[in-house]
């Protein structure tokens, strides 16, 4: 009863690549602190940063069959996003699947489960964010949906939404908001240049952000240490 | 009431070293997806790969006395495998014990507990797979069994079985199956060469593994995305 | 109702820097196996070692306001120690706050919560020990105590106590015991030089530490493996 | 920037109450093993079973302000579903809020965070499924969305979808599928009556489900124990 | 090198018993949301509520020797508070120790580790809050401090401070603040009587707490659901 | 490639039933603190105590097929012991399987995974110790070994070994040691009768177990509290 949705519209790669210019923390802030996947997903090597269109895929616990189905749906610039239908730490993905994805222009993998062959994946420079590293193999008996909306690591993701991932984690940007979020991210970064200089010169955030009155209003008191 | 079993037979080192030529994921597959220790055991540095004969050791929680007993039983080519009799994250093992093990030809440590001095162990190039990194010291009051069969990280291990460990984790190969598993691993690797090339050239796993009919039989449907 | 204690006395930096000469495991042993923070705190890069005076700070869950307050209290040689008033994995701290701390001579951050911008923090060489890495931003609505005694990662820490942190974790040394602990650490290290040489030459811990009689008294038995 | 969506359409209560006649496991099966919230949500008392329309609510970590906003949107037959914008174990909810919800006809609470006053909630018979029990209080500084689609405990939930919860956990049924799922649940239960009798009489599942040939095809072998 | 501090002053039992009249959540609020132990500590039976003077005790991992030392220090009205020097889930405490404590007037046990004989402890009505239930026994080789200040489940506790524990968890009240906290708890409870009635009659928290203007100022918007 | 071992010898039921007369903690002690399964396995209702012969069964993640195979191997007095080949929290087992097991005289279930229908299982009085409660259903595609030695919750268990389980957890007794362990358990219980009376009368463990000299030798010091 599983479904593969074909011909899914992607976010234009020019826009995806613009978003790749900003870190996950910046984008997460720029879109109102939404869209961040659980920090249990960690990159297998660092430093790393990548952006791409979500190619979504559900897998049964201990079963990676639908990943093979998903490869056929890949387009250059995609990032494969895999979520198990119930929690699983098995090693769903390794060097051979990565080789196949690279051949189809896929830029990386986000998986709320385990991966293996991490030495080889690191040598290939194929970026992966996963919950676990595990050599545990999987079967091919049950097939899940491909290119349908999913929840991965606590966040709702639709095929063709933009995924940005770096050392800090993984964030999703809704396709229709991608241009706006890119603009806001740019504005945020510009705004930080000045702040960074002021902070580097020793100026206090208390003054830059004008916090003293507000803190006093909240009842913050200063007392001198007793000798 | 603890016991040390002496004169334990090992797997011949030539065979152990052959197994070291394959990754943990390959060996795990070659022996029918058995023998993999829990992925909670992680290497303290990467990349890394080692194989050796299991030198087994039980320790009480917060007590590393029997590790000292185990060192005397070490033979060149061994890997020390330590399991606590109840779960513990303390730092049972550090630079001095590693120095001692290296002097007796031991190739690494597998421990379902904590280790410390990881900067020094890394400098020495002494490989460790552990559950935790912790500076918490241990006492020497209770002694556990050495060179008896143990369960470590969820897997039954007998002294003299082969341990293979790499970036993906740790697997045990039963001594009497070691030759067979080496052969099957070799066959697996050869088989993957061709597959890797076909996948790298863009051929799909769906075709290479002839999955389409089986997927259809399972009811997989393809639908076009609604604009 | 939050309080900032000003003019807190620090441990003299000469003494702090002496303690920085020893690893966390050594110091933890030298002070009787006390003062070690939970191993859930891990460094964002390795190898690393730093020592400094604790600049303490409480934060509400998902709220980093008091970190800004704490910066003003910083003195050269401090290490900022942050604990949430209830458990939280959010990314309380990033590049801008690190820039500000560096400008005031702060040497690192210990936080029982999350941090972000870890690629930038790593480039800067600003050491952080945290529970999580997360891009999740925080608000500025609730202010916590600064420079009061806190419990961080299970350990009681007073402002001006010495923090030493390395690849193995984080330990606190009470200000009034710092000189004694430095001496005992020195003695421990000297003592280990000789032991390391004897162990490296193949001598057994069983003999160096004279354990055989005690082990026999505890009932340890040696049996030969059955063929 | 938070939003409250008013006048949300509910699933008719007659249909909701029909679904309440089936257990969570039955409904989960009837809708193709989808919609089950993470088993980390557990009821505060057992046995218990309830169904209602989802009244959704996002909360900031350590901040329960939007729950007060949600109460005003309540209609008889609703179940309040609360998700934090980042993980939090604080006690967001207690006796007073339960009293308020009961006054507006709300049937229970699903919260991927903590609750308190569980003795009082148990005495009142107000059912709660939560991640934690914690007395830790929350602030009222940041407001989240009310009656928008959310992800709670790993599942996407829209306001007005049906929640069914019992000793086994919590499942959501999409509003437009509720009637179909009720029918399939009924069919499942009827089908089980006969199976239960046959199994109770000692007949084997291997025979009832005609598994023997398939097992043999999969290579299952029977061997006699060695004495 | 362990120490037992004798003749520790307690909080007067009349005051302790007054505090027992309030729930943990109320007391936690009354003292400014401080003093709450980690919610990982759960009661072995419910409902339950008890208050007493903290009789503190440190134990080594897997070693309950100092609990025997602590019993001698017990006074009627005490609650034994046990913390391991490194995390441990073993069953440190069972029916015999409970029998001994009851004989000396001790009212309950708080332990950041495991207990056993929970069926017997439940039959005796001896209340326990623990991290785990485990039959795993412990040794008697290493002794820890008794009646010194400790950190238990994340909170700093001094001998003679008041412990209150119920279905919601465990809170500590500093001895010198006990009278004040009792008064504030009483005031809180009185204040809640009126609120409870208003909420029960259907009045909204939004109105009772006068939240509407503040919410609007924070930008909360109401929109009507699209059909 | 899975195997079912038939005609497995059991421990005589008279002996099993004798062991059922002792609690898990007692048996665990009587056999030298071995054989205890991880405390992550908890009973679905309390109080409870049962003993039986282990009927072992491996299952793939998310796949309960081999449980059906195991039922055919059941004999009166067995307890089904199920372990997944990689960690899984799904609900492998519910009312129908319990009905089938009861029809064949099986006394309970030990499973290092999830169960469902816990309200019904509780009504039936069918005892279960599990890692999770979850309604998540499983497939029937991969078959595991039945009646072979397994590791369950960290412990090595052979078919026909004795399982004893109660409120404190689960312990296994090797078949060939069952009689000896029963005797030692009996001796332990008798020994405790006298101790319990002495402790109940207020006598101290310090005196009963003659600990004072040993504690002094270990350096325990008594100091009087400073006012």
């Amino acid at each position: 009863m599983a479904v593969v949705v074909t011909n899914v519209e992607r976010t234009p790669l020019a826009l995806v690549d613009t978003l790749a210019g900003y870190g996950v923390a910046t984008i997460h802030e720029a879109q109102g602190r939404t869209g961040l996947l659980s920090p249990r997903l960690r990159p297998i090597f660092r430093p790393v940063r990548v952006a791409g269109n979500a190619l979504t895929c559900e897998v049964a616990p201990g079963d990676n069959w639908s990943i093979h189905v998903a490869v056929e749906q890949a387009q250059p610039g995609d990032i494969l996003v895999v979520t198990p239908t119930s929690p699983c730490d098995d090693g769903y993905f390794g060097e051979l699947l990565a080789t196949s994805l690279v051949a189809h222009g896929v830029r990386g993998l986000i998986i709320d489960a385990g991966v293996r062959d991490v030495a080889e994946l690191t040598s290939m420079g194929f970026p992966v964010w996963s919950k676990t590293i595990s050599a545990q193999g999987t079967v091919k008996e049950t097939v899940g949906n491909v290119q349908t909306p999913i929840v991965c690591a606590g966040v709702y993701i639709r095929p063709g939404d933009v995924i940005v991932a770096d050392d800090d984690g993984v964030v999703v940007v809704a396709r229709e908001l991608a241009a706006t979020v890119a603009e806001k991210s740019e504005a945020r970064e510009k705004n930080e240049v000045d702040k960074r200089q002021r902070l580097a010169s020793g100026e206090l955030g208390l003054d830059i952000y004008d916090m003293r009155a507000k803190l006093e209003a909240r009842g913050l008191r200063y007392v001198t240490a007793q000798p």
Side-chain angles (χ1 to χ4, degrees), chain A:
Chain A
M1 299 178 302
V3 166
V4 183
V5 181
T6 61
N7 291 100
V8 166
E9 197 177 335
R10 266 70 171 183
T11 309
L13 283 186
L15 188 45
V16 168
D17 291 343
T18 301
L19 282 166
Y22 308 103
V24 167
T26 297
I27 288 171
H28 166 67
E29 291 289 343
Q31 66 180 353
R33 292 185 181 158
T34 60
L36 189 70
L37 278 68
S38 166
R40 69 175 172 256
L41 300 196
R42 293 298 304 146
I44 61 167
F45 57 79
R46 282 171 50 192
V48 63
R49 190 193 289 171
V50 71
N53 281 299
L55 167 61
T56 67
C57 178
E58 287 181 333
V59 289
D63 190 315
N64 75 349
W65 205 9
S66 45
I67 296 182
H68 289 272
V69 176
V71 176
E72 191 177 25
Q73 304 305 316
Q75 293 185 6
D78 282 356
I79 289 179
L80 181 61
V81 183
V82 179
T83 193
T85 52
S86 69
C88 188
D89 283 349
D90 291 352
Y92 282 83
F93 184 97
E95 183 204 3
L96 289 183
L97 278 168
T99 300
S100 183
L101 287 179
V102 167
H104 290 85
V106 174
R107 296 175 172 181
L109 170 70
I110 312 296
I111 182 166
D112 191 17
V115 290
R116 56 186 186 175
D117 298 338
V118 294
E120 292 77 6
L121 296 173
T122 300
S123 296
M124 293 168 65
F126 186 82
V128 175
W129 286 256
S130 74
K131 186 173 67 155
T132 331
I133 293 172
S134 171
Q136 178 72 43
T138 50
V139 299
K140 288 170 186 54
E141 300 288 353
T142 305
V143 65
N145 297 318
V146 171
Q147 290 289 65
T148 61
I150 60 174
V151 172
C152 181
V155 175
Y156 186 71
I157 301 176
R158 300 163 312 162
D161 284 345
V162 185
I163 300 292
V164 184
D166 67 11
D167 294 28
D168 286 343
V170 184
V171 71
V172 62
V173 180
R175 186 152 48 98
E176 50 274 53
L177 300 178
T180 306
V181 170
E183 280 166 32
K184 288 187 180 171
S185 297
E186 174 67 11
R188 247 190 109 76
E189 285 222 339
K190 279 195 180 136
N191 177 275
E192 288 195 349
V193 171
D194 173 58
K195 279 187 199 159
R196 191 178 294 107
Q197 286 176 338
R198 293 172 71 181
L199 292 166
S201 75
E203 208 174 336
L204 290 167
L206 291 182
D207 298 316
I208 294 175
Y209 306 107
D210 205 15
M211 292 170 167
R212 292 187 193 275
K214 197 178 168 199
L215 284 164
E216 195 180 346
R218 291 293 176 108
L220 184 67
R221 291 181 305 117
Y222 289 79
V223 300
T224 307
Q226 303 302 323

